[in-house]
Amino acid sequence: MKKFNFRKVLDGLTASSPGSGSGSSSNSGGAGSGSVHPGGTAGLPREEIQESLTSEYFQICKTVRHGFPYQPTALAFDPVQKILAIGTRTGAIRILGRPGVDCYCQHESGAAVLQLQFLINEGALVSASSDDTLHLWNLRQKRPAILHSLKFNRERITYCHLPFQSKWLYVGTERGNTHIVNIESFILSGYVIMWNKAIELSTKTHPGPVVHLSDSPRDEGKLLIGYENGTVVFWDLKSKRAELRVYYDEAIHSIDWHHEGKQFMCSHSDGSLTLWNLKSPSRPFQTTVPHGKSQREGRKSESCKPILKVEYKTCRNSEPFIIFSGGLSYDKACRRPSLTIMHGKAITVLEMDHPIVEFLTLCETPYPNEFQEPYAVAVLLEKDLIVVDLTQTNFPIFENPYPMDIHESPVTCTAYFADCPPDLILVLYSIGVKHKKQGYSNKEWPVSGGAWNLGAQTYPEIIITGHADGTIKFWDASAMTLQMLYKLKTSKVFEKQKAGDSKQTCEIVEEDPFAVQMIYWCPESRIFCVSGVSAYVIIYKFSRHEITTEIVSLEVRLQCDVEDIITPEPETSPPFPDLSSQLPSSRSLSGSTNTVSSEGVTKDSIPCLSVKTRPVRMPPGYQADLVIQLVWVDGEPPQQITSLAISSAYGIVAFGNCTGLVVVDFIQKTVLLSMGTIDLYRSSDLYQRQPRSPRKNRQFIADNFCMRGLSNFYPDLTKRIRTSYQSLTELNDSPVPLELERCKSPTSGLATRTPEAAPGFYRNEMPAVRQRSQVHHLPETRENSYNRSRSSSISSIDKDSKEAITALYFMESFARKNDSTISPCLFVGTSLGMVVLISLSLPSSDEQRFTEPVVVLPSGTFLSLKGAVLTFSCMDRTGSLMQPPYEVWKDPNNTDENEKTWKRKLVMNYSSSSQEMGDHQYTIICSEKQAKVFSLPSQTCLYVHNITETSFILQADVVAMCNSACLACFCANGHIMIMSLPSLRPMLDVNYLPLTDMRIARTFCFTNEGQALYLVSPTEIQRLTYSQEMCDNIQDMLGDLFTPIETPEAQNRGFLKGLFGGSGQTFDREELFGEASAGKASRSLAQHIPGPGSIEGMKGAAGGVMGELTRARIALDERGQRLGELEEKTAGMMTSAEAFSKHAHELMLKYKDKKWYQF
């Protein structure tokens, strides 16, 4: 195992020159290389850190997809295996079984799925796509693969039908022809039913595309063909002629048989249902318009909307079910899409929330010639899947065990927590189950196929989603599943928008004023913090008890004046004052004087939303503890929040935007800090800021980054992807003052330059004495001025950019260069690559923490990177990842405990030896361009890795993996990159997913144990892993789609019914459709393509480097297939032998005592 040496630098030692401080290595490509910073001196003791992670630990693969299939188009159900398949417009197929059995597969072409057909109880599925291709999927493996494909070249597929226990698939086309495909070989038969042979010779018009195909339940040798123009042909397959034809004036949408095979029902475009009898095909046996107004006798019924599909299902002990979609009257235009259930004389209309895509009736038997006994209806909507219970008179729906409601309100942000405290899932579920909807069917979910087990990795996982309506959803994501735990509505904190307030709201937010923008959760302390699009922050505390209390709120006036920045002279600067005596109240510090202009035109000091002022009942769960709102400033709305962090141990929350930074003590409910980003670089007293006159010319455009609606969460693909926070916070064309230029971050080449070399900065050398160090007032030269750009690639936009707060991080660290012990700190990262360390001075005892003020001061420590800062993390001197301190959770509303004896229990997550004199730690900082590792308190840059030059990082996080840590990054060019820590050696760089939508950028997140997720569509969450171990074990975690189940036996029809009910002889399709009798189909008509999961596909792959292994695998598969066939034949012979023995014994008993003349 390779060792890496770090050199410790003495405190106060500075770099010999600004240029020597750079440890970066430029790269023109997408990835850089780490290099050691030459900031040490020879002879210093070396710290050895062993990095256990290597590139063999990492591999990218998708694991599972959750949510509702986006843009569904097709539905299929296997009544024996009891699994459900859904096809989509993007070529995806989702196969669902019992909870935990959820499989996703994708057509490579991406063509829309037109129709799905299960090979019932065979472990296979046929899909027809819009590119006129048929695919055969093998479901006898955990990840289905395509065995065969058949591409039609000259005709377009419109309908498919596969009879039960048949290997011949009927395919209807747009030209009106019907082709037959062998499922086993996926080769087209020479038997073709041409449209001109099916219709009468006297017919002069084309019948249109084939819209229905089905064989007669009474006789398998008869095929029913429905054409779009209203023509129905009953085709005799043996004689190759039409036995009868049916004509109707209205177009046909669907057909379904009565199980006896004597009648069939059609649905039409005028909202009518026609029932036809084979004995009298000249006219319908019955015609009804279910939702049409009754007319006088002799007059035609009123036309209604088309009935898109009808199903005619019979019951042994009751009237048949007639179920159809559509058919409503045109005069009820506002009515929602509906499903109508006709059972006897009762007609029930079930209104749906979304348009109906497809529905299927679930029946007890797979045989079409038996009583169907329907028990449920699966209805596929555009944005939901519901199953209706037909066994109860009120037709309730089943409770859906799948997470199909992720998109109930559009997802705006996500968070992923792996290996969280195990009791959290049970606690959240126990609270959330009390608020579940009632009225579901008391029966179990009918889609119960497949098999699933927990697998090897069973650590707790929780996913949190924020939504546009202000709701927060907590999901149990353990063991590759997704289960709703708890739902929190943040909008309940605010007053409802009244009609009179709509104008004010429209001026601030276009839509969705409660949309969640950022979430921050501490699982150990159960503190939850959320920021919304209307510039507010809500802090929640978890409690098991219900309370009724008023909601405490703070209003913060955050503004940044850039016109009057003047560098103070050393001789005129006042001495550093006593901060403890001048700590202001929250109102005075925030500047919320609620002053509105006398004219009533200019809005000032007004929040975007109104917090409820009356006592509010808060149920058990997360209860609002504090609401912080930014207010309007001089007629400009507050800017959206760009960063958020909270510390339960310190009792402090911090958030920032493109205007500045706010730090709030949520224990004492006071504002500790509210200042512009520019002011963070000042060293004058924060609490003696001189009042400024109103600005004559507003520098910033209020509409750039502020208060945009939900449409900005999901922009069109044509909208240019912005490259950083800077481009989202553009300025107007007015010139930027020189003072603003001085506040920009240094270049990456001056990484170790200390702040005392910069004019306008004060550094507190001796914090205990509170003395101000002397400011070196240097002449304005190109070298020593603070007019620096972030990098050469984006220097052109620096003059038109605000410096937004993009990252915040609470940690015990070294705030200053001469510190010997760690102390509470707040790391602040900006959009210009600048890092500011803020020192937090907390009261020493718990009693004082509730009364004594907290002192917050910039420490004078500044670090810099290229690009906007994204994330922070710290490691101790042994290379172990340091976790931020937290407070152990205790119910704040527990009435059994005495409040006076209640003490805060803090977990600091570091050993006492780390506070020894001369100790150090490593700080990892990642920006959108590069990553750096600094040694604190020396502030020496040890490692630099230029991650990308041509693109930018969207998401970065330091994650724990295999008892070590690494830096995970997702780049805008689609690359996922993993780097070791602390050396920043590249471990993985995979071109995974090109960024095609800002939805991915907003929702992509990494977590511990090598997992990540993102919102792959507006309705689906895609989980993936970058862990080699998990990729190896993924097969054990997925569910089995196919389980061996014996096909139910057909009911005995009886002697008389078999004699008079239909054809007594079995229909041999092989003899009729085989090559021997039907011949070969034209090669130009369709092309056979072996799939990657077939033997042919594997043979094609055997010519590569792994040829020998592939050939061996093929041989094993072929041997396994032969053994399986032999086993099946042996079992069949044994069954036949047992049946023969049984019948022989019965025959012997029957004729045992009879005489010869009695025969």
Side-chain angles (χ1 to χ4, degrees):
M1 192 174 296
K2 192 173 181 180
K3 298 180 180 180
F4 297 92
N5 299 327
F6 294 138
R7 295 180 178 179
K8 185 176 179 183
V9 183
L10 293 175
D11 294 341
L13 187 65
T14 59
S16 57
S17 65
S20 65
S22 173
S24 65
S25 58
S26 61
N27 241 348
S28 59
S33 58
S35 58
V36 181
H37 181 85
T41 57
L44 287 178
R46 297 185 177 183
E47 299 286 344
E48 296 183 355
I49 295 181
Q50 296 182 349
E51 294 186 358
S52 58
L53 293 179
T54 61
S55 58
E56 286 77 17
Y57 282 78
F58 301 97
Q59 182 183 346
I60 295 286
C61 72
K62 296 180 180 179
T63 53
V64 68
R65 182 173 293 199
H66 302 296
F68 181 75
Y70 185 53
Q71 295 179 334
T73 55
L75 182 69
F77 181 72
D78 188 327
V80 178
Q81 288 290 322
K82 294 189 181 302
I83 56 177
L84 190 77
I86 301 175
T88 71
R89 192 175 300 173
T90 59
I93 298 177
R94 286 280 293 281
I95 305 174
L96 306 172
R98 67 176 66 247
V101 179
D102 188 343
C103 180
Y104 166 82
C105 44
Q106 174 74 43
H107 292 93
E108 291 184 1
S109 64
V113 178
L114 298 179
Q115 194 176 352
L116 296 172
Q117 285 273 317
F118 275 105
L119 277 68
I120 297 177
N121 204 25
E122 295 290 339
L125 175 71
V126 175
S127 63
S129 54
S130 60
D131 60 351
D132 307 311
T133 306
L134 298 174
H135 305 275
L136 178 63
W137 295 84
N138 179 20
L139 306 184
R140 298 197 179 206
Q141 54 193 54
K142 294 191 175 183
R143 290 190 180 274
I146 294 178
L147 296 175
H148 302 280
S149 297
L150 187 66
K151 169 71 173 176
F152 280 74
N153 297 323
R154 295 186 297 182
E155 297 193 53
R156 308 216 66 180
I157 300 174
T158 57
Y159 196 86
C160 298
H161 170 65
L162 180 65
F164 178 50
Q165 293 182 330
S166 170
K167 67 176 183 178
W168 296 95
L169 175 71
Y170 301 109
V171 181
T173 66
E174 192 176 28
R175 293 185 179 180
N177 302 325
T178 301
H179 301 275
I180 302 172
V181 179
N182 188 308
I183 289 297
E184 294 180 350
S185 61
F186 238 58
I187 296 176
L188 206 60
S189 169
Y191 192 109
V192 182
I193 304 175
M194 305 298 292
W195 68 270
N196 53 355
K197 298 292 181 65
I199 65 174
E200 288 184 344
L201 296 176
S202 60
T203 304
K204 298 181 180 180
T205 59
H206 191 279
V210 175
V211 296
H212 178 82
L213 291 169
S214 62
D215 54 340
S216 171
R218 191 180 183 187
D219 187 356
E220 296 177 349
K222 306 292 176 61
L223 183 67
L224 192 70
I225 308 174
Y227 295 94
E228 189 180 54
N229 71 339
T231 302
V232 180
V233 176
F234 196 50
W235 183 266
D236 190 335
L237 293 170
K238 290 183 179 179
S239 61
K240 299 182 180 182
R241 65 179 180 86
E243 186 169 306
L244 61 88
R245 297 178 179 90
V246 167
Y247 298 97
Y248 195 70
D249 296 337
E250 299 293 336
I252 292 177
H253 286 279
S254 68
I255 304 175
D256 199 18
W257 279 101
H258 187 280
H259 82 277
E260 292 181 351
K262 299 178 182 180
Q263 296 176 344
F264 61 88
M265 181 174 289
C266 302
S267 68
H268 300 277
S269 58
D270 62 345
S272 64
L273 297 174
T274 55
L275 184 63
W276 299 82
N277 196 316
L278 295 181
K279 292 183 179 180
S280 56
S282 58
R283 61 178 181 176
F285 174 73
Q286 182 181 353
T287 302
T288 58
V289 183
H291 294 296
K293 293 182 180 179
S294 59
Q295 303 286 348
R296 296 179 180 178
E297 294 184 2
R299 296 183 61 183
K300 188 178 180 180
S301 300
E302 178 192 14
S303 295
C304 295
K305 296 178 182 178
I307 296 179
L308 301 179
K309 184 177 182 180
V310 64
E311 292 205 346
Y312 188 23
K313 304 300 179 184
T314 55
C315 303
R316 185 180 299 275
N317 301 319
S318 65
E319 295 290 329
F321 280 90
I322 300 175
I323 305 171
F324 61 88
S325 62
L328 296 179
S329 177
Y330 280 105
D331 61 353
K332 299 178 181 179
C334 297
R335 290 189 63 173
R336 294 183 293 180
S338 65
L339 183 78
T340 304
I341 301 175
M342 300 174 61
H343 189 210
K345 295 182 179 180
I347 300 179
T348 305
V349 179
L350 305 179
E351 291 188 344
M352 305 296 172
D353 294 331
H354 310 285
I356 298 175
V357 176
E358 175 70 284
F359 75 89
L360 287 174
T361 306
L362 312 187
C363 302
E364 295 288 352
T365 176
Y367 294 94
N369 57 355
E370 299 177 355
F371 283 100
Q372 299 299 291
E373 301 295 344
Y375 59 90
V377 180
V379 187
L380 179 64
L381 309 177
E382 278 191 358
K383 295 184 179 180
D384 201 0
L385 172 68
I386 64 172
V387 180
V388 182
D389 187 357
L390 294 179
T391 61
Q392 301 184 38
T393 55
N394 58 340
F395 301 129
I397 65 172
F398 291 89
E399 184 177 6
N400 198 328
Y402 313 122
M404 295 291 184
D405 57 345
I406 292 177
H407 62 286
E408 185 178 11
S409 175
V411 178
T412 54
C413 62
T414 59
Y416 192 8
F417 300 88
D419 204 10
C420 53
D423 60 329
L424 268 179
I425 292 178
L426 182 60
V427 169
L428 290 173
Y429 180 78
S430 62
I431 298 295
V433 73
K434 300 176 182 178
H435 305 285
K436 280 194 172 183
K437 295 179 181 179
Q438 304 298 325
Y440 291 110
S441 173
N442 54 9
K443 295 189 176 182
E444 294 185 358
W445 180 253
V447 185
S448 57
W452 176 76
N453 53 20
L454 288 176
Q457 297 178 347
T458 57
Y459 48 80
E461 299 174 68
I462 291 179
I463 294 174
I464 304 177
T465 56
H467 300 263
D469 62 352
T471 58
I472 306 286
K473 293 183 180 180
F474 292 77
W475 307 84
D476 177 13
S478 307
M480 294 295 175
T481 62
L482 197 67
Q483 179 81 24
M484 173 79 132
L485 292 175
Y486 175 69
K487 185 177 180 179
L488 175 66
K489 296 182 178 180
T490 62
S491 60
K492 289 187 175 182
V493 173
F494 304 100
E495 297 284 358
K496 293 183 178 180
Q497 297 292 325
K498 298 180 181 179
D501 299 335
S502 59
K503 182 178 180 181
Q504 176 183 347
T505 305
C506 293
E507 293 178 3
I508 302 171
V509 183
E510 295 176 4
E511 56 184 9
D512 302 306
F514 306 112
V516 178
Q517 194 171 11
M518 302 182 73
I519 51 182
Y520 195 98
W521 188 43
C522 178
E524 291 79 11
S525 64
R526 302 185 186 178
I527 291 287
F528 185 72
C529 191
V530 56
S531 70
V533 73
S534 297
Y536 64 82
V537 172
I538 309 176
I539 301 171
Y540 289 91
K541 290 185 177 180
F542 188 85
S543 175
R544 297 176 182 268
H545 304 279
E546 178 180 322
I547 61 170
T548 301
T549 182
E550 292 186 359
I551 301 174
V552 181
S553 64
L554 294 175
E555 295 176 1
V556 181
R557 183 183 178 92
L558 185 61
Q559 66 183 100
C560 179
D561 298 328
V562 298
E563 295 182 353
D564 303 327
I565 300 177
I566 302 175
T567 304
E569 297 293 337
E571 60 274 8
T572 60
S573 299
F576 207 91
D578 189 347
L579 296 176
S580 62
S581 63
Q582 298 189 16
L583 185 72
S585 64
S586 63
R587 291 295 180 183
S588 62
L589 185 62
S590 64
S592 301
T593 57
N594 293 328
T595 58
V596 186
S597 61
S598 58
E599 295 82 8
V601 178
T602 303
K603 295 180 181 179
D604 191 66
S605 301
I606 300 175
C608 300
L609 301 172
S610 299
V611 179
K612 292 180 179 179
T613 56
R614 62 185 182 277
V616 178
R617 185 188 70 87
M618 299 182 184
Y622 275 104
Q623 301 166 350
D625 183 64
L626 177 64
V627 179
I628 310 166
Q629 293 190 93
L630 299 180
V631 297
W632 287 65
V633 177
D634 297 335
E636 297 179 1
Q639 309 292 294
Q640 284 186 359
I641 295 171
T642 57
S643 57
L644 177 68
I646 191 169
S647 173
S648 60
Y650 305 154
I652 295 176
V653 61
F655 60 93
N657 58 12
C658 63
T659 303
L661 174 68
V662 177
V663 181
V664 176
D665 182 351
F666 64 82
I667 294 180
Q668 300 185 27
K669 308 296 189 295
T670 58
V671 180
L672 302 176
L673 185 68
S674 173
M675 61 164 50
T677 311
I678 296 172
D679 295 328
L680 294 176
Y681 301 120
R682 302 168 184 250
S683 56
S684 59
D685 183 10
L686 303 179
Y687 305 107
Q688 285 190 347
R689 298 167 62 190
Q690 300 297 324
R692 302 177 183 275
S693 60
R695 290 173 291 170
K696 298 178 181 179
N697 298 318
R698 296 188 181 98
Q699 287 286 336
F700 304 120
I701 300 175
D703 296 333
N704 279 341
F705 194 75
C706 174
M707 300 301 106
R708 290 162 298 180
L710 188 64
S711 59
N712 290 275
F713 286 105
Y714 303 104
D716 296 332
L717 295 181
T718 57
K719 185 175 181 179
R720 182 176 63 89
I721 298 175
R722 301 175 185 268
T723 57
S724 62
Y725 279 100
Q726 291 82 353
S727 60
L728 293 174
T729 57
E730 297 173 354
L731 300 177
N732 56 10
D733 296 331
S734 60
V736 180
L738 178 63
E739 288 79 10
L740 177 60
E741 289 293 324
R742 294 181 182 180
C743 295
K744 293 181 180 177
S745 62
T747 60
S748 59
L750 303 175
T752 58
R753 182 168 182 176
T754 54
E756 62 267 20
F761 284 81
Y762 294 88
R763 188 164 60 88
N764 188 4
E765 297 289 347
M766 301 292 291
V769 186
R770 295 191 179 93
Q771 292 181 350
R772 179 176 57 82
S773 62
Q774 185 179 3
V775 177
H776 303 279
H777 186 67
L778 302 179
E780 288 291 339
T781 64
R782 183 181 182 88
E783 181 178 354
N784 56 32
S785 71
Y786 233 81
N787 184 11
R788 305 170 185 168
S789 61
R790 294 169 52 230
S791 64
S792 59
S793 60
I794 56 173
S795 60
S796 60
I797 66 170
D798 276 354
K799 293 183 179 182
D800 296 327
S801 301
K802 286 185 185 180
E803 189 168 11
I805 306 297
T806 58
L808 296 169
Y809 181 63
F810 287 100
M811 177 53 75
E812 298 280 315
S813 185
F814 300 93
R816 298 171 180 84
K817 204 165 188 179
N818 61 344
D819 285 354
S820 59
T821 59
I822 59 177
S823 60
C825 294
L826 172 61
F827 289 77
V828 180
T830 72
S831 58
L832 299 183
M834 199 67 185
V835 178
V836 181
L837 264 68
I838 294 180
S839 176
L840 308 175
S841 179
L842 304 174
S844 57
S845 63
D846 288 341
E847 293 78 9
Q848 294 177 345
R849 179 64 186 86
F850 292 92
T851 58
E852 295 295 325
V854 176
V855 180
V856 179
L857 271 180
S859 63
T861 298
F862 302 93
L863 307 171
S864 66
L865 294 86
K866 292 192 298 183
V869 178
L870 299 180
T871 189
F872 299 96
S873 191
C874 289
M875 304 178 76
D876 60 19
R877 62 180 181 179
T878 63
S880 300
L881 191 63
M882 295 177 62
Q883 299 297 333
Y886 64 88
E887 177 187 1
V888 177
W889 175 79
K890 203 167 190 178
D891 197 328
N893 303 320
N894 196 346
T895 57
D896 298 335
E897 299 180 6
N898 191 352
E899 295 182 359
K900 295 182 179 180
T901 60
W902 182 79
K903 292 184 178 181
R904 302 174 68 228
K905 296 181 181 179
L906 304 183
V907 178
M908 305 309 292
N909 286 323
Y910 58 84
S911 60
S912 58
S913 61
S914 62
Q915 297 187 13
E916 295 177 359
M917 188 70 174
D919 198 8
H920 64 280
Q921 65 179 200
Y922 305 110
T923 298
I924 301 101
I925 308 174
C926 183
S927 72
E928 62 181 8
K929 290 292 184 181
Q930 65 177 188
K932 285 187 178 183
V933 176
F934 292 91
S935 176
L936 297 182
S938 63
Q939 302 178 14
T940 305
C941 182
L942 299 174
Y943 283 91
V944 178
H945 182 76
N946 292 322
I947 301 175
T948 178
E949 294 289 348
T950 58
S951 186
F952 58 96
I953 302 300
L954 291 170
Q955 182 66 34
D957 203 355
V958 175
V959 294
M961 182 175 171
C962 300
N963 298 321
S964 187
C966 59
L967 175 63
C969 301
F970 175 59
C971 195
N973 59 13
H975 285 251
I976 292 180
M977 291 162 282
I978 310 294
M979 282 148 282
S980 66
L981 292 177
S983 65
L984 297 177
R985 291 183 299 113
M987 296 283 100
L988 179 73
D989 188 351
V990 175
N991 187 5
Y992 172 74
L993 175 72
L995 181 64
T996 56
D997 201 314
M998 283 300 294
R999 181 197 318 110
I1000 300 174
R1002 284 188 174 275
T1003 58
F1004 199 103
C1005 53
F1006 295 97
T1007 189
N1008 297 331
E1009 307 301 334
Q1011 297 204 64
L1013 66 81
Y1014 60 95
L1015 203 67
V1016 67
S1017 72
T1019 62
E1020 295 170 290
I1021 290 177
Q1022 177 67 57
R1023 292 166 65 180
L1024 62 137
T1025 181
Y1026 48 92
S1027 167
Q1028 178 67 57
E1029 180 183 3
M1030 193 168 185
C1031 290
D1032 296 338
N1033 300 328
I1034 190 67
Q1035 293 294 331
D1036 299 331
M1037 303 178 191
L1038 299 177
D1040 292 304
L1041 297 175
F1042 178 80
T1043 54
I1045 299 175
E1046 187 174 347
T1047 303
E1049 294 183 0
Q1051 297 177 3
N1052 189 3
R1053 303 182 64 189
F1055 175 75
L1056 294 178
K1057 182 173 283 190
L1059 184 62
F1060 300 106
S1063 176
Q1065 58 183 353
T1066 56
F1067 175 63
D1068 189 358
R1069 293 187 178 91
E1070 179 68 31
E1071 181 181 352
L1072 189 61
F1073 302 144
E1075 185 178 338
S1077 57
K1080 292 183 178 181
S1082 173
R1083 292 184 178 181
S1084 61
L1085 183 61
Q1087 177 186 359
H1088 176 257
I1089 306 172
S1094 64
I1095 299 298
E1096 293 85 350
M1098 295 179 64
K1099 287 180 179 179
V1105 180
M1106 304 297 292
E1108 295 298 329
L1109 292 177
T1110 307
R1111 279 188 284 270
R1113 196 182 313 122
I1114 292 173
L1116 288 175
D1117 290 343
E1118 292 176 345
R1119 182 174 180 270
Q1121 289 180 2
R1122 287 194 294 269
L1123 289 176
E1125 293 173 358
L1126 180 62
E1127 184 179 358
E1128 291 177 357
K1129 291 180 180 179
T1130 304
M1133 292 176 64
M1134 291 179 61
T1135 304
S1136 300
E1138 291 176 359
F1140 179 76
S1141 175
K1142 180 180 178 181
H1143 290 313
H1145 184 68
E1146 292 175 352
L1147 188 64
M1148 183 268 295
L1149 293 177
K1150 182 177 180 180
Y1151 297 107
K1152 180 179 180 181
D1153 299 327
K1154 290 187 177 182
K1155 303 297 183 180
W1156 64 270
Y1157 52 82
Q1158 293 178 330
F1159 287 97

